[in-house]
Amino acid sequence: MSVNAKYLLTRANVPPNIRPLQPADRLAVERILESTRNFTPSEIATALELVDAWLTTGAASGYHCLVVDTSDTSDTSDTNSAASHPDVRGYACYGPTPLTDGTFDLYWIAVERASHGTGFGRTLLQAVERDARGAHGRLLLIETSSQESYGATIRFYERNAYTLAARIPNFYRTGDDKLVFAKNL
Amino acid sequence: MSVNAKYLLTRANVPPNIRPLQPADRLAVERILESTRNFTPSEIATALELVDAWLTTGAASGYHCLVVDTSDTSDTSDTNSAASHPDVRGYACYGPTPLTDGTFDLYWIAVERASHGTGFGRTLLQAVERDARGAHGRLLLIETSSQESYGATIRFYERNAYTLAARIPNFYRTGDDKLVFAKNL
């Protein structure tokens, strides 16, 4: 137990690192998506398709994927530790919306369930906004479901200054609307 | 001139035929998209990407493409005439919306400019609705631009019982909103 406590203490002192998603992170992303209990198997498969597109062709895929990594990269005793056992807590996938001038979509964002409430989501979202702004983005859109299980997600967007721009009734299925949140960058 | 008149007269007597888009139709589709003067070169390139996905992998692509063809298929004097010189007047591309249960998107619909007002658009749209219903579709969505040049397009959707379900301000560019029209099937 003391080892775990030390581990947690050490890691808590490391500011989370946002970096591009790498091949070694794929399993962690799958684990994160499953941990949230918010996604169906086909949603997880679709999320991983976007990750694979990014890993295969990079920005040319139209997708950019970032992770939040709490590995202690200052620990030089094993220079490969971060790469072989990345402490990936969450990820985001975004990209420029095709056929628009300056609109970006946040396609997926997920933080492992055990790390909810730690600020990793906000750190990821701010990194996406910064990257989009850097690529002349002026509008960031996030689509989500009106289901009750997405209540915390919706409050997360609202806390981060996203406003409800549109609602498509019965989009996902009867009684499950699509909500589109928007933020001017 | 008399040849053209005869041609037009003959063709006018042939009810338009709706059929799946075939490889020989690709050039006609490109011509139709250009004739409308509503699409930018990148929009036309994107439209053709969807056509190519359909031609390469069929329904597995997630896209279905139909054309309206006024060739006189009862003319058996040259059985290849329809295939080698298809009289394609318009096309539509639609498909099931990923991760939804029963929602379909009409991705593109275009009728050659010289045939606007002839009812080919409505015939195509009704074929899409029939196909979507046959595939357990319950909702058909159409996204379009709020630009003035799309005024006739918007009135076309409204005449066909589509209602404005959502509007995303400044989606395409500043001052150019995305409109989402919807119809319950």
Side-chain angles (χ1 to χ4, degrees), chain A residues 7 17 19-22 24-32 35 66-71 82-83 85-92 110-112 115 120 124:
Chain A
Y7 176 91
N17 175 33
R19 59 166 176 79
L21 186 150
Q22 297 164 359
D25 304 321
R26 195 184 184 279
L27 261 177
V29 167
E30 194 169 351
R31 175 182 52 75
I32 290 163
S35 79
L66 300 173
V67 298
V68 53
D69 180 349
T70 54
S71 304
H85 301 286
D87 291 328
V88 172
R89 306 302 180 189
Y91 93 110
V111 169
E112 62 176 10
S115 292
F120 292 154
L124 269 171

Side-chain angles (χ1 to χ4, degrees), chain A residues 158-173:
Chain A
E158 288 172 342
R159 271 200 314 277
N160 283 282
Y162 285 77
T163 55
L164 184 64
R167 171 190 287 261
I168 314 273
N170 306 313
F171 177 84
Y172 295 106
R173 56 191 61 76

Side-chain angles (χ1 to χ4, degrees), chain A residues 42-43 46 97 99-101 103 105 108 138-139 141 143 165-174 178 180, chain B residues 42-43 46 97 99-101 103 105 108 138-139 141 143 165-174 178 180:
Chain A
S42 13
E43 286 168 340
T46 302
T97 310
L99 304 178
T100 69
D101 177 18
T103 296
D105 263 293
W108 298 90
R138 51 171 183 80
L139 180 66
L141 299 178
E143 300 185 351
R167 171 190 287 261
I168 314 273
N170 306 313
F171 177 84
Y172 295 106
R173 56 191 61 76
T174 302
K178 174 162 89 175
V180 185
Chain B
S42 10
E43 286 169 339
T46 303
T97 310
L99 303 178
T100 68
D101 177 19
T103 295
D105 261 295
W108 298 91
R138 53 174 181 80
L139 179 67
L141 299 178
E143 300 185 353
R167 170 190 288 262
I168 313 271
N170 306 313
F171 177 84
Y172 294 105
R173 57 192 60 74
T174 303
K178 173 161 89 174
V180 184

Side-chain angles (χ1 to χ4, degrees), chain B residues 35-180:
Chain B
S35 78
T36 66
R37 298 176 214 163
N38 249 356
F39 302 118
T40 65
S42 10
E43 286 169 339
I44 291 176
T46 303
L48 291 173
E49 272 177 31
L50 272 52
V51 166
D52 289 337
W54 158 253
L55 288 175
T56 311
T57 55
S61 66
Y63 305 115
H64 299 254
C65 297
L66 300 174
V67 297
V68 54
D69 181 348
T70 55
S71 303
D72 182 0
T73 51
S74 67
D75 177 1
T76 54
S77 61
D78 175 1
T79 51
N80 284 322
S81 64
S84 54
H85 302 286
D87 291 328
V88 172
R89 306 303 178 188
Y91 93 109
C93 179
Y94 72 96
T97 310
L99 303 178
T100 68
D101 177 19
T103 295
F104 280 71
D105 261 295
L106 179 64
Y107 297 110
W108 298 91
I109 185 167
V111 169
E112 62 175 9
R113 196 173 185 87
S115 293
H116 284 184
T118 57
F120 292 153
R122 174 183 286 253
T123 305
L124 269 170
L125 189 54
Q126 288 173 343
V128 169
E129 293 170 2
R130 196 169 50 237
D131 286 1
R133 256 187 230 106
H136 307 290
R138 53 174 181 80
L139 179 67
L140 186 57
L141 299 178
I142 313 177
E143 300 185 353
T144 194
S145 154
S146 66
Q147 277 182 92
E148 268 188 41
S149 58
Y150 281 85
T153 307
I154 291 166
R155 287 190 295 278
F156 167 72
Y157 298 138
E158 289 172 342
R159 273 200 314 276
N160 284 281
Y162 285 77
T163 54
L164 185 64
R167 170 190 288 262
I168 313 271
N170 306 313
F171 177 84
Y172 294 105
R173 57 192 60 74
T174 303
D176 186 0
D177 305 346
K178 173 161 89 174
L179 310 180
V180 184

